[in-house]
Amino acid sequence: MTRQISFFPQSADRLSPTAAKPGYRPEVQGLRALAVLMVASYHIWFGRVSGGVDVFLLVSAFLLSLSFIRKGETGQGLHLRQYWTRVFKRLLPAAAVVILGTLVATVLFVPRSRWTEIFSQAWTSLLYVQNWALAANSVDYYAADHSVASPFQHFWSLSVQGQVFILWPLLFALCALIARAWRKRFRSVVLGVFGVVFAASLAFSVIETYTNQAHAYFDTRTRLWEFAFGTLLALALPYLHPGRGLRVAAGWIGLAAILSGGFILDVQGQFPGFVALWPLVAAALVILAGQTGSRFGVDRFLSWGPLVRMGDMSYALYLWHWPVLVIYLAWRDRQEVGLVGGSFIIALSLALAYLTTRFVDNPLRAVQGPAAGKRAVTVIVACLAVVAVPLAGVQYALKVQDDKLQAEAEINYPGARVLLPGYDGAPTGVPVRPASAADPQSWGDLPLKCSQIPDGPSDPILEDGCFSTSNTGSAERTILVIGSSHAQQWIEAIEPMAETHNYRIVALLRGGCPYGDVSDNDPQGCSRFNEAATEYALEMKPDAVVTVATAARADQGADPMMDGFPDAAEQLSDAGIEVVGIRDNPRFAFDMQVCAEVNGPEACAVPLQLSPVFPPAEYAGGTSFIDFSDLICPGGLCTPVIGNTYVYLDDNHLTAGFTASMATEFEQRFHQAVSW
């Protein structure tokens, strides 16, 4: 991918012997190797984002644009179909191998409870839409604990690139049509079109990063300007002729900025907004420096043979390093690796990358000749099929098993029902019911988005997380659920009661935002979300607002209320709206379900540390409280399994199966709490 036309004059003072082949840019290949090593090392040892991916995006767009600019200026056909088949023939084989290898390793080393999520993300990775799946779930890319991350999470950047590899040729084709129709110079039209893309995408990126960074990080629209930067760089290079001294300085300044950016920048708070210009400008300086012919030039280092050869397998190394890291952590039940473990991960990733490049990537890339186009299509179809067929088969088998377990749930998996008076006891000899990784995401059971109901919220911050049952005009009463995933998980217990009594449920949900959170500096926008939720509740006037009123803390064994909850609850109560506050479930310093799967349930039991006095007297006015600690931790002991059902999904969420098993008791306690 680096054999492209170089815009630097082929003179003795500009080219070193390593650049003897016309158009070959070994320093760019070395830059790729350095970028992927940064990405891997930052992920493995530092738990930070390096900016190396942004360098990849720039280089990809730069090289792609060189090719299309040359074709457009020389009047060659763009041949879009041939380009797309060639590109995906190059990308898919290695990706398919890594996806298959990751799926096999998942079955061997990852707890069963996580398979559903991982298998689902295998599809989104294979189809180049992983970034949108992560954005929709507001995944925290900066989370320190990689052991619970998806082993396919890193496919987000490959998905963005794949989408751009489809879009960019179309934009160049548009430029060619405009240039021909208006008799304009092709380069000038490209400058105008991609300049608009750069400006519009950068502005959108800054706005969305400020308002919703978790979504912005994966959003293709917030990344288009980075690719456009690479296109504009390709346009500008022929007109940039700095002297050798300036190019030597530019190269080293760019390299130093690339290496230091991950530590200097507030990536967690500001990417991918304008701050991402740092790695882009840094990489552009290295590309501008080019082959200096100087013994002191950065190209002398980046053109070093081993680094260039590593650049040849940088794609495969990027593909392998993340699943190796995540599965290693899951297998070892750790949250981080040390020097030895990290070195092992790097070595294994390098070995797998070499084998993938040597025996998969290179042989298929070497296929040329008249039938190359047909062979490329065959390769693409084969790669899709070799992943899709076994993946679909395994998912179908798991669905059949889950359906069977669901049919037997009432008898074999009673969950919290075993704790109720008069229950005869759970059957013996029945294995624990596997829990789905998607268990707490119960809003999918509410059939309507609030944009489909007549009285939905008008504030945009509420729209994405607002759902409703369908009985909008016939319900006896309306229950409004507000809060984070800890409120969301109780919908499983509320729904049966709502169906029995013809109650309507409307849910306002936002990940990481408990109701009452009024903190000013929060990337999730919790303060504004909660203000908007209160305003909507006062406007809607439901019969009751249900929320989780406290926030348990694993490290302190306490569950204080959010600072803003009493004021918000008082506003609702003064308006005649009953407020029902559920006590938060206990949280732990380890994943309860994984612990039980690895060590057995008995080894993971923890004494209940929450105060037996609830609610605190100073918060009792205007709010009715419900405490389910006696069902979650019966007898003051929190165990991972009750009634053949996993209680916890992870270290702080209840499984949908266990929450649903509390439905009868929830209904009784709820009606005791309200005045209906």
Side-chain angles (χ1 to χ4, degrees):
M1 291 182 67
T2 57
R3 285 172 171 78
Q4 307 284 349
I5 295 295
S6 172
F7 287 122
F8 292 122
Q10 306 293 310
S11 57
D13 69 317
R14 288 182 178 264
L15 289 178
S16 68
T18 58
K21 296 180 181 180
Y24 184 51
R25 302 288 300 269
E27 80 283 358
V28 175
Q29 201 72 332
L31 180 61
R32 276 180 164 167
L34 192 64
V36 76
L37 288 174
M38 286 174 54
V39 171
S41 60
Y42 273 62
H43 279 161
I44 292 170
W45 283 302
F46 305 120
R48 296 176 63 90
V49 177
S50 65
V53 168
D54 302 88
V55 174
F56 271 120
L57 303 185
L58 170 69
V59 171
S60 296
F62 171 73
L63 296 176
L64 180 156
S65 300
L66 287 180
S67 174
F68 277 100
I69 291 171
R70 182 179 68 248
K71 291 178 181 179
E73 289 192 319
T74 58
Q76 302 178 42
L78 298 182
H79 305 295
L80 300 188
R81 184 179 63 83
Q82 292 90 328
Y83 170 79
W84 286 325
T85 54
R86 186 172 67 253
V87 163
F88 287 101
K89 184 204 75 171
R90 186 173 68 244
L91 297 178
L92 270 173
V97 168
V98 172
I99 292 173
L100 276 177
T102 302
L103 291 174
V104 172
T106 294
V107 173
L108 293 176
F109 302 113
V110 176
R112 166 67 172 80
S113 58
R114 296 184 57 195
W115 290 6
T116 299
E117 176 199 12
I118 292 174
F119 291 167
S120 174
Q121 293 202 8
W123 284 110
T124 57
S125 298
L126 180 66
L127 300 176
Y128 288 90
V129 291
Q130 172 73 331
N131 64 310
W132 293 113
L134 295 173
N137 293 327
S138 297
V139 170
D140 183 4
Y141 190 74
Y142 315 110
D145 185 4
H146 295 325
S147 66
V148 296
S150 165
F152 295 117
Q153 185 168 293
H154 67 316
F155 268 85
W156 77 266
S157 65
L158 304 178
S159 296
V160 171
Q161 283 184 296
Q163 293 160 30
V164 168
F165 288 154
I166 294 174
L167 174 62
W168 246 230
L170 292 174
L171 291 178
F172 276 108
L174 175 64
C175 292
L177 290 175
I178 295 174
R180 187 179 302 114
W182 293 355
R183 297 183 180 181
K184 298 291 185 180
R185 189 184 177 202
F186 179 74
R187 182 176 290 266
S188 299
V189 176
V190 171
L191 176 62
V193 169
F194 286 93
V196 169
V197 172
F198 175 85
S201 174
L202 177 57
F204 179 77
S205 180
V206 171
I207 294 171
E208 189 172 14
T209 299
Y210 176 75
T211 57
N212 189 3
Q213 191 198 18
H215 189 281
Y217 195 91
F218 302 109
D219 193 329
T220 302
R221 297 167 297 177
T222 66
R223 298 286 182 172
L224 291 179
W225 70 274
E226 299 188 65
F227 289 92
F229 188 99
T231 300
L232 297 177
L233 176 63
L235 287 170
L237 273 184
Y239 306 100
L240 301 176
H241 303 290
R244 178 190 289 181
L246 286 176
R247 289 191 290 117
V248 169
W252 284 111
I253 291 172
L255 181 63
I258 289 172
L259 294 175
S260 63
F263 289 104
I264 295 176
L265 301 177
D266 178 19
V267 176
Q268 281 81 345
Q270 298 178 337
F271 263 50
F274 67 90
V275 179
L277 279 167
W278 179 295
L280 298 185
V281 172
L285 289 174
V286 174
I287 293 174
L288 174 64
Q291 290 288 311
T292 64
S294 169
R295 62 185 298 184
F296 302 108
V298 75
D299 56 294
R300 190 176 181 88
F301 164 65
L302 293 177
S303 300
W304 181 43
L307 199 61
V308 172
R309 286 192 292 273
M310 185 171 292
D312 294 337
M313 62 180 190
S314 59
Y315 174 54
L317 180 57
Y318 179 81
L319 284 172
W320 278 115
H321 87 280
W322 181 258
V324 171
L325 170 63
V326 170
I327 291 173
Y328 174 86
L329 290 172
W331 173 52
R332 301 281 291 176
D333 193 20
R334 295 180 178 177
Q335 295 186 12
E336 57 185 24
V337 296
L339 179 62
V340 175
S343 300
F344 168 78
I345 291 169
I346 289 286
L348 179 58
S349 300
L350 283 169
L352 292 171
Y354 170 79
L355 293 173
T356 303
T357 303
R358 172 69 176 82
F359 295 106
V360 177
D361 195 21
N362 288 344
L364 291 174
R365 186 177 296 192
V367 175
Q368 302 294 335
K374 293 182 179 179
R375 292 176 182 174
V377 174
T378 301
V379 169
I380 292 172
V381 173
C383 289
L384 293 173
V386 79
V387 175
V389 172
L391 178 58
V394 172
Q395 285 185 306
Y396 177 76
L398 291 176
K399 182 180 184 304
V400 170
Q401 181 187 37
D402 289 343
D403 289 345
K404 182 176 182 294
L405 293 173
Q406 183 64 32
E408 300 170 348
E410 191 73 23
I411 299 174
N412 292 335
Y413 307 101
R417 289 190 295 272
V418 300
L419 304 174
L420 302 182
Y423 191 84
D424 293 335
T428 59
V430 178
V432 177
R433 178 187 182 186
S436 165
D439 264 333
Q441 309 303 327
S442 54
W443 62 38
D445 294 334
L446 301 183
L448 298 180
K449 290 274 292 183
C450 285
S451 58
Q452 301 172 276
I453 62 177
D455 55 350
S458 58
D459 195 314
I461 199 170
L462 301 178
E463 290 179 355
D464 288 343
C466 184
F467 300 84
S468 171
T469 51
S470 57
N471 55 340
T472 55
S474 60
E476 296 291 331
R477 296 186 182 277
T478 298
I479 298 173
L480 179 62
V481 179
I482 306 177
S484 65
S485 57
H486 279 245
Q488 174 189 349
Q489 65 190 0
W490 286 101
I491 294 177
E492 289 288 339
I494 299 173
E495 278 190 298
M497 176 184 70
E499 292 176 2
T500 300
H501 299 279
N502 191 26
Y503 296 160
R504 176 191 178 194
I505 305 173
V506 178
L508 296 177
L509 306 167
R510 192 174 183 88
C513 291
Y515 188 48
D517 186 354
V518 293
S519 55
D520 294 328
N521 184 23
D522 59 291
Q524 301 296 333
C526 294
S527 178
R528 198 167 78 81
F529 168 79
N530 284 319
E531 289 176 1
T534 300
E535 291 176 4
Y536 176 64
L538 294 173
E539 175 187 336
M540 181 190 191
K541 292 192 179 300
D543 295 279
V545 166
V546 175
T547 187
V548 172
T550 64
R553 298 174 180 175
D555 56 342
Q556 298 180 12
D559 61 332
M561 292 184 185
M562 300 303 298
D563 291 339
F565 176 79
D567 291 337
E570 185 177 359
Q571 289 184 63
L572 299 178
S573 298
D574 290 345
I577 302 169
E578 300 207 40
V579 181
V580 178
I582 302 174
R583 187 178 199 180
D584 195 12
N585 54 263
R587 308 189 189 200
F588 308 97
F590 60 93
D591 189 313
M592 267 282 202
Q593 188 173 141
V594 171
C595 179
E597 289 179 308
V598 174
N599 305 306
E602 295 78 10
C604 308
V606 177
L608 176 65
Q609 298 181 2
L610 299 182
S611 170
V613 179
F614 184 83
E618 61 268 27
Y619 292 120
T623 301
S624 300
F625 292 92
I626 307 178
D627 184 1
F628 290 99
S629 300
D630 58 320
L631 298 181
I632 299 170
C633 300
L637 187 66
C638 304
T639 62
V641 177
I642 296 175
N644 288 345
T645 302
Y646 281 113
V647 178
Y648 278 87
L649 174 72
D650 45 34
D651 60 354
N652 70 97
H653 292 98
L654 301 174
T655 64
F658 189 77
T659 307
S661 74
M662 291 189 280
T664 300
E665 193 67 14
F666 184 96
E667 177 179 349
Q668 178 179 337
R669 299 186 188 188
F670 177 84
H671 283 133
Q672 290 174 350
V674 297
S675 60
W676 307 343

